[in-house]
Amino acid sequence: MREIDLGQVGDVDKVNTSLIELLLQNDFIPVITCLASDAEGNGYNINGDMFAGHIAGTLAVSQYIILTDVDGLLRDKDDPDTLIREVDISEIEQMITQNIIQHGMLPKMESSKIALSKGAELTRIINGIFPEQILEILGDKPVGTLIKNQIKHGQSNDTAIK
């Protein structure tokens, strides 16, 4: 395999949420780009899924909602009737091995693992083509795929939408 230099692409080391928290406390909705700097001030492009997972986890949100163009994780990617309603992060690696999680769903599940491991209570993947699903989630209706971690983190009442 040929190695490709992607230039100024980086990974998240830590997240400073002070500006985000200040904006939220003052009823602003932050719009965050996936650009970051290192200690020397060099700029990097960060994978948006991973960046959002780190932010949601660091903020310890109650729900980290990932919007995509399918109804959630499907057991058969070509059959919308195979929606998996709930997954524990301990099942993700096996589902990757079984090719249930593949292609564009891989970074979304990795992002979910990051968010949950850093403090988010749960994550959910829903179809962003139908924005009314966001309201259904807030009304505790079963929408999309719920990803959870058996190990509980601190309590929070915030929701992050990516």
Side-chain angles (χ1 to χ4, degrees):
M1 180 166 33
R2 189 177 77 146
E3 188 172 315
I4 299 173
D5 181 7
L6 298 175
Q8 293 294 105
V9 175
D11 294 318
V12 176
D13 182 42
K14 64 182 176 181
V15 177
N16 179 344
T17 61
S18 58
L19 179 58
I20 298 168
E21 291 168 348
L22 177 66
L23 291 169
L24 291 171
Q25 289 167 3
N26 288 284
D27 298 324
F28 288 93
I29 298 174
V31 177
I32 303 168
T33 185
C34 51
L35 299 174
S37 299
D38 64 15
E40 288 79 40
N42 299 306
Y44 293 91
N45 181 20
I46 309 294
N47 176 287
D49 288 309
M50 301 313 120
F51 198 55
H54 279 279
I55 292 170
T58 303
L59 288 170
V61 298
S62 61
Q63 284 196 73
Y64 167 45
I65 303 168
I66 300 172
L67 307 178
T68 188
D69 62 351
V70 294
D71 291 336
L73 178 61
L74 306 175
R75 189 161 299 283
D76 174 354
K77 68 177 182 58
D78 298 318
D79 184 357
D81 291 332
T82 64
L83 177 67
I84 300 171
R85 289 283 179 193
E86 192 170 301
V87 174
D88 188 86
I89 63 169
S90 64
E91 302 171 289
I92 291 175
E93 291 307 317
Q94 181 180 7
M95 295 175 96
I96 292 170
T97 303
Q98 297 170 335
N99 286 325
I100 294 169
I101 300 171
Q102 54 183 309
H103 307 295
M105 198 56 70
L106 285 166
K108 287 160 184 44
M109 296 305 280
E110 182 63 27
S111 176
S112 294
K113 285 173 41 179
I114 290 168
L116 290 167
S117 71
K118 293 194 169 288
E121 191 173 320
L122 60 90
T123 68
R124 191 180 304 266
I125 300 173
I126 67 171
N127 194 331
I129 296 170
F130 305 107
E132 63 274 9
Q133 287 188 354
I134 295 170
L135 294 175
E136 291 174 5
I137 289 172
L138 299 176
D140 288 330
K141 291 187 180 178
V143 177
T145 300
L146 175 73
I147 301 106
K148 62 181 186 167
N149 187 352
Q150 295 290 352
I151 301 169
K152 298 294 181 196
H153 296 281
Q155 299 296 319
S156 173
N157 60 2
D158 300 315
T159 298
I161 298 175
K162 176 189 165 298

